[in-house]
């Protein structure tokens, strides 16, 4: 089974090189890595090329469209969607392939932040439970290509919560699992905005989403909550 790692980026010059170098150390030679860029204005694309990796310049900006474009351009049997500031465990490739061989259609990892704040540790602790309300895009997502196709990919109409929404459709087709290891993700946004303010904003946006509030209003609420 071939693994295709798809990384959506937009102005990620500070994060992308360390991630690509880490992946170089922890993947097999046949693993495909595609950086799906949404029109970065910084050095993101140049850095990716310097690291010898493929840059897919997407026509439409947004995580959903970019990840769909990356999936369409990939050739792997398993798709692995990974944020540019998130590091999977060292043995992730073998762990993902083993899960798929055991009949799992899609899944993710538990979460750990790179900032030792008690609230973030508590927040991350809950990600071990298989509950869609506490699924975060930072936990990464692996999915068999045929399952992803049957589900229709990411909903490109969504401006927020596209990672959570797709999981509900994926688990209707084949088993979903939370692997018993952790990805390490950056807490940079929490540091910029404030831990409690940002997390409260996430909870509010998710609650409004479940109530059927439009994506445009969710974006307005989110931007208002996180403004500094």
């Amino acid at each position: 089974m071939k693994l295709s790692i798809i990384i959506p980026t937009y102005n990620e010059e500070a994060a992308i090189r360390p991630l690509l170098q880490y992946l170089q150390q922890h993947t097999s030679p046949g693993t495909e890595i595609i950086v799906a860029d949404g029109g970065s204005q910084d050095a993101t694309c140049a850095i990716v090329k310097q690291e010898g990796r493929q840059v897919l310049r997407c026509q439409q900006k947004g995580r959903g469209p970019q990840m769909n474009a990356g999936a369409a351009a990939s050739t792997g049997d398993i798709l692995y969607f990974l944020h540019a500031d998130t590091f999977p465990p060292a043995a992730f490739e073998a762990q993902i392939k083993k899960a798929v061989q055991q009949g799992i259609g899609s899944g993710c990892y538990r979460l750990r932040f790179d900032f030792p704040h008690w609230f973030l540790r508590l927040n991350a602790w809950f990600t071990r439970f298989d509950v869609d309300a506490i699924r975060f895009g930072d936990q990464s997502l692996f999915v068999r290509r045929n399952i992803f196709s049957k589900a229709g990919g990411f909903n490109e109409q969504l401006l927020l919560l596209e990672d959570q929404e797709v999981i509900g459709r994926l688990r209707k087709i084949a088993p979903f699992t939370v692997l018993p290891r952790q990805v390490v993700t950056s807490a940079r946004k929490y540091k910029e905005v404030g831990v409690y303010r940002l997390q409260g904003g996430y909870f509010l946006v998710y609650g409004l989403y479940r109530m059927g509030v439009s994506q445009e209003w969710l974006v307005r609420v989110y931007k208002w909550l996180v403004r500094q």
Side-chain angles (χ1 to χ4, degrees), residues 120-138:
L120 293 183
R121 289 200 300 269
L122 178 64
N123 186 14
W125 183 84
F126 280 103
T127 62
R128 68 190 59 219
F129 300 111
D130 189 8
V131 178
D132 286 356
I134 51 176
R135 290 283 73 81
F136 304 97
D138 286 332

Side-chain angles (χ1 to χ4, degrees), residues 61-178:
K61 178 187 173 186
R63 279 211 175 109
Q66 288 173 228
M67 290 189 288
N68 280 343
S74 68
T75 59
D77 307 293
I78 306 170
L79 309 177
Y80 185 44
F81 300 98
L82 183 68
H83 287 185
D85 60 356
T86 300
F87 289 72
F92 75 95
E93 185 170 359
Q95 293 161 1
I96 289 173
K97 289 181 178 179
K98 180 179 179 180
V100 170
Q101 289 170 346
Q102 293 174 340
I104 298 299
S106 60
C108 67
Y109 280 99
R110 300 175 186 179
L111 188 64
R112 180 161 63 89
F113 291 97
D114 64 357
F115 182 52
H117 189 287
W118 75 269
F119 188 76
L120 293 183
R121 289 200 300 269
L122 178 64
N123 186 14
W125 183 84
F126 280 103
T127 62
R128 68 190 59 219
F129 300 111
D130 189 8
V131 178
D132 286 356
I134 51 176
R135 290 283 73 81
F136 304 97
D138 286 332
Q139 291 177 252
S140 71
L141 174 68
F142 71 87
V143 56
R144 284 164 31 202
R145 173 179 292 279
N146 63 327
I147 300 300
F148 185 75
S149 297
K150 287 181 181 178
F154 292 95
N155 184 343
E156 297 188 5
Q157 302 304 311
L158 297 184
L159 305 174
L160 295 171
L161 301 171
E162 71 285 333
D163 300 282
Q164 287 181 323
E165 189 275 338
V166 75
I167 290 174
R169 289 183 282 119
L170 292 174
R171 68 165 72 245
K172 291 179 180 179
I173 302 172
F176 179 91
T177 191
V178 181

Side-chain angles (χ1 to χ4, degrees), residues 14-36:
I16 193 64
R17 191 190 303 276
L19 176 62
L20 292 178
Q21 293 177 346
Y22 177 86
L23 294 176
Q24 175 68 28
Q25 297 173 5
H26 298 288
T27 55
S28 59
T31 298
E32 182 176 51
I33 298 177
I34 298 176
V35 176

